[in-house]
Amino acid sequence: GAVVSQHPSWVICKSGTSVKIECRSLDFQATTMFWYRQFPKQSLMLMATSNEGSKATYEQGVEKDKFLINHASLTLSTLTVTSAHPEDSSFYICSARVPSATSGRPGAQYFGPGTRLLVL
Amino acid sequence: DAKTTQPTSMDCAEGRAANLPCNHSTISGNEYVYWYRQIHSQGPQYIIHGLKNNETNEMASLIITEDRKSSTLILPHATLRDTAVYYCIVRANQAGTALIFGKGTTLSVSS
């Protein structure tokens, strides 16, 4: 149980275009999902917290108009990188927290496999 | 969230136990200790978490000291596939609170 999927697993796009990444919790409902970014040889950096039915909360230094987050249902959150530039090339990882009412490991946070973005 | 300190890297022979330490001397009473690992180019994988009692599951054991200021993750029989970066994170178990990752320990298992 507690599987999180991401799509696509990798994407190459031209500078100036927009890219949408989907994150789904497959066997549980997640009122809160998280988006991280990871550059080579660095640790994961939290970008934003995605709340179902409300606006996302962005970490300091993350442009909310550039990284659009939509959490329209309890199993789906999307991250859209708008007007992508080469410096946006990175490994984007989503995560969802298992609700306390769910059996198994309540409170644990499960991660998707990541999406590798390359902007040319 | 409380800050954690882990060694940068560790080596372990295949088949031996890997003991990964973590210091979290400023941990608060309501904060849990979580362990995750990240194998190259994959998303982090949940291993185990605990509050104050020792925990064991199919992947590992977590030993938390009585004062809760440090903990040890034990992989009882390390394999080559356990080579990864291991992250020790402390966090209150509250909805909406994200895990904040430090630099972790790079564990290299060799034959």
Side-chain angles (χ1 to χ4, degrees):
Chain A
V3 178
V4 177
S5 70
Q6 274 184 249
H7 178 80
S9 56
W10 59 271
V11 57
I12 302 173
C13 71
K14 293 182 179 180
S15 185
T17 61
S18 295
V19 175
K20 179 185 283 189
I21 302 170
E22 292 186 349
C23 176
R24 295 181 184 274
S25 55
L26 298 185
D27 50 3
F28 65 100
Q29 295 183 330
T31 56
T32 304
M33 292 184 174
F34 307 96
W35 287 95
Y36 294 80
R37 180 169 54 181
Q38 185 175 33
F39 293 107
K41 298 188 184 300
Q42 295 186 21
S43 187
L44 284 80
M45 292 173 46
L46 178 67
M47 298 176 65
T49 299
S50 170
N51 302 299
E52 188 267 336
S54 64
K55 292 182 179 180
T57 304
Y58 291 83
E59 295 299 299
Q60 190 173 9
V62 178
E63 300 175 56
K64 61 180 182 181
D65 294 329
K66 180 170 184 61
F67 298 98
L68 301 180
I69 292 173
N70 184 280
H71 194 157
S73 77
L74 289 172
T75 59
L76 174 64
S77 175
T78 60
L79 169 68
T80 301
V81 182
T82 62
S83 187
H85 290 280
E87 56 265 31
D88 298 324
S89 298
S90 188
F91 191 47
Y92 292 85
I93 308 167
C94 74
S95 176
R97 179 189 170 94
V98 177
S100 299
T102 303
S103 62
R105 298 166 177 144
Q109 199 172 311
Y110 288 84
F111 290 80
T115 296
R116 195 162 298 280
L117 170 64
L118 177 60
V119 184
L120 302 177
Chain B
D1 290 338
K3 186 175 179 178
T4 62
T5 303
Q6 298 178 252
T8 301
S9 63
M10 293 183 64
D11 295 319
C12 180
E14 189 177 23
R16 304 297 294 267
N19 298 291
L20 291 87
C22 179
N23 286 322
H24 32 78
S25 58
T26 59
I27 190 171
S28 300
N30 66 338
E31 289 182 317
Y32 286 69
V33 180
Y34 290 84
W35 282 86
Y36 284 78
R37 72 180 182 184
Q38 186 178 27
I39 297 171
H40 184 61
S41 296
Q42 298 182 21
Q45 178 187 22
Y46 168 84
I47 301 174
I48 200 167
H49 76 283
L51 183 61
K52 54 183 178 181
N53 297 323
N54 297 337
E55 302 286 344
T56 296
N57 62 21
E58 65 278 7
M59 290 184 67
S61 295
L62 173 61
I63 308 298
I64 303 174
T65 58
E66 193 170 340
D67 63 7
R68 304 211 317 126
K69 292 184 177 181
S70 66
S71 61
T72 301
L73 178 74
I74 301 173
L75 306 179
H77 305 287
T79 70
L80 298 178
R81 287 183 292 183
D82 292 322
T83 293
V85 179
Y86 287 77
Y87 297 97
C88 167
I89 304 168
V90 294
R91 186 197 69 178
N93 192 9
Q94 297 172 345
T97 305
L99 293 168
I100 304 301
F101 287 77
K103 296 182 179 180
T105 296
T106 298
L107 175 68
S108 299
V109 181
S110 56
S111 56

